[in-house]
Amino acid sequence: MADRCPVSVVGLHGGAWFGQRAASAVYSADVLVGAARMHAALPADVTGEQVELSGPLDQVLDVIEERSGQGHRVCVLASGDPGFFGIERLLVGRFGDAVEVYPAPSSVAMAFARARVNWDDAAVVSCHGRSLQRALPFILSASKVGILVSPTCPAQAVGRALLDAGATHQQAIVCSRIGEDDESVTRTDLSGLASGTFDPLSVLILTSDAPPHDVNAVVAWGRPEPSFAHRAGMITKPEVRAAVLAKLELFPAATMWDVGAGSGSVGIEAARLAPGLRVYAIEQNGQDCQRISSNSVRVPVTVIEGRAPEAYDQLPDPDRVFLGGGGLVALEHALARVRPDAVVACTYTTMETALSAVTMIGSDAEMIQIQVNRGVPIGPDGRLRLEAENPVFVVWGRP
């Protein structure tokens, strides 16, 4: 078998690449892997074998690995900058240092240029490979944002979701087929965006004259109970919630389970505090699941309707776990699934159960009791008296 050849990835715009080294990678390639529209745009004197980049990406990577292992020079054609929400991540993950990258300007940079809007202060959100529900909170919280739309999440779908969520962006600019002969730029508002029809090969730019008023932009936790729809007081009280969130030591890109989520208040506030945190709210009551979905419209929380621990089977292993329900059986099964260096926090109403949880978590476990006395009005003159709430035991630690 011949020595393995490096794998090149070249960014294109309208069939054009950028730089002599990118040109050399294209012309010297034995195999060119790319979408059909990219092959069609190549000059006639590019003679490498054309392999269409379609179907499951793992299968495409297998083909690249096979042909490279046979000593063929493989060049992957990408749109714009392959390192910007592109295929570079997958290629480097498979082939490591064997990958040589020759980017073009990203479609987002080109779109902002076409729109004549500076973007050094803009957020960028991709709707490729992620649900609109998960992308929406990041869009809502940005006064200027570029959005990579997709065939399954076109610009008009984003517009409808933004209207439903009460977005305040004043201008929407849809830049379609950037770099192609038939590129177009459409300026409208959210209503025009929602009612229009746009090419899925588009970048959507949203701008606002003032930062959107978004509760997620405020660094706060332990919000009052009326901030969440809940069933007959089935909600972790604000002071307890604040303590639990402090003990969980949240970080972005972690996976968190909120078990027995109720109103979802703990998971929702966790998602607000650590953007990028993947939160799964597990709740067996169907109406409560609907409340969680309503409460979390502006934060990325995935609602799992089911009973713990059976519902764990469909979830990725967690870095952080909060158990507000499910009992010791739910805790036992959660401890069997946690990742290294995980943190688990639980709340209980009886000391007996709390002490059992301490034993199960292990020598690192700690326990406190939180007793809140809340001021309530007495009469019409503004005086207050203290009204005691039921004490709650909080147990946390690294298993």
Side-chain angles (χ1 to χ4, degrees), residues 9-363:
V9 53
V10 174
L12 301 178
H13 264 304
W17 49 79
F18 290 77
Q20 290 299 316
R21 297 179 68 187
S24 177
V26 172
Y27 276 105
S28 65
D30 301 307
V31 181
L32 291 155
V33 180
R37 61 185 177 84
M38 294 181 179
H39 289 305
L42 291 175
D45 57 348
V46 174
T47 59
E49 175 191 352
Q50 296 182 358
V51 175
E52 186 172 351
L53 201 166
S54 62
L57 285 176
D58 283 345
Q59 294 181 14
V60 176
L61 294 178
D62 290 342
V63 171
I64 294 171
E65 184 171 17
E66 178 184 2
R67 301 302 294 273
S68 174
Q70 293 170 349
H72 297 147
R73 289 165 295 189
V74 179
C75 178
V76 180
L77 305 176
S79 177
D81 183 349
F84 192 72
F85 294 104
I87 198 170
E88 179 183 326
R89 183 190 305 274
L90 290 175
L91 291 171
V92 172
R94 175 72 77 93
F95 306 113
D97 293 340
V99 178
E100 298 173 344
V101 184
Y102 305 106
S106 71
S107 58
V108 174
M110 297 284 283
F112 274 100
R114 294 292 192 271
R116 296 186 295 279
V117 175
N118 68 290
W119 68 296
D120 52 350
D121 58 345
V124 179
V125 177
S126 176
C127 291
H128 284 269
R130 74 194 305 187
S131 68
L132 179 54
Q133 180 187 16
R134 187 164 183 82
L136 193 60
F138 302 100
I139 300 171
L140 289 166
S141 63
S143 58
K144 182 190 295 182
V145 57
I147 305 162
L148 290 159
V149 299
S150 69
T152 58
C153 184
Q156 58 267 26
V158 177
R160 290 191 291 268
L162 289 170
L163 284 179
D164 291 342
T168 58
H169 301 92
Q170 283 91 29
Q171 182 173 224
I173 308 169
V174 184
C175 302
S176 302
R177 303 187 66 83
I178 304 292
E180 307 292 338
D181 292 338
D182 57 346
E183 76 173 24
S184 65
V185 177
T186 303
R187 296 176 183 270
T188 183
D189 56 16
L190 290 182
S191 295
L193 180 67
S195 61
T197 301
F198 302 95
D199 194 297
L201 291 175
S202 298
V203 175
L204 170 61
I205 296 172
L206 301 173
T207 64
S208 178
D209 296 334
H213 177 70
D214 182 15
V215 71
N216 300 317
V218 178
V219 180
W221 59 98
R223 297 170 192 257
E225 291 180 40
S227 301
F228 306 90
H230 55 88
R231 170 171 53 95
M234 298 296 290
I235 181 173
T236 303
K237 297 298 186 276
E239 294 77 14
V240 176
R241 194 184 325 129
V244 165
L245 291 167
K247 304 306 182 185
L248 282 171
E249 300 181 23
L250 303 167
F251 65 95
T255 295
M256 175 181 165
W257 293 357
D258 180 0
V259 182
S263 68
S265 62
V266 173
I268 290 168
E269 291 204 332
R272 286 173 176 158
L273 288 171
L277 180 71
R278 295 188 300 164
V279 178
Y280 295 88
I282 305 161
E283 173 57 50
Q284 63 178 325
N285 183 285
Q287 291 184 335
D288 283 341
C289 287
Q290 294 177 11
R291 293 186 183 94
I292 298 170
S293 296
S294 176
N295 289 333
S296 63
V297 66
R298 288 175 173 261
V299 288
V301 173
T302 301
V303 182
I304 305 296
E305 183 173 352
R307 181 187 296 271
E310 291 81 7
Y312 297 169
D313 293 343
Q314 56 185 305
L315 301 179
D317 292 344
D319 304 283
R320 298 293 184 265
V321 178
F322 169 65
L323 293 103
L328 295 175
V329 173
L331 172 60
E332 178 185 9
H333 284 79
L335 292 173
R337 288 283 305 279
V338 294
R339 291 174 175 166
D341 206 35
V343 177
V344 176
C346 325
T347 55
Y348 301 103
T349 57
T350 68
M351 179 178 288
E352 179 184 22
T353 310
L355 289 173
S356 296
V358 169
T359 301
M360 293 170 65
I361 292 173
S363 60

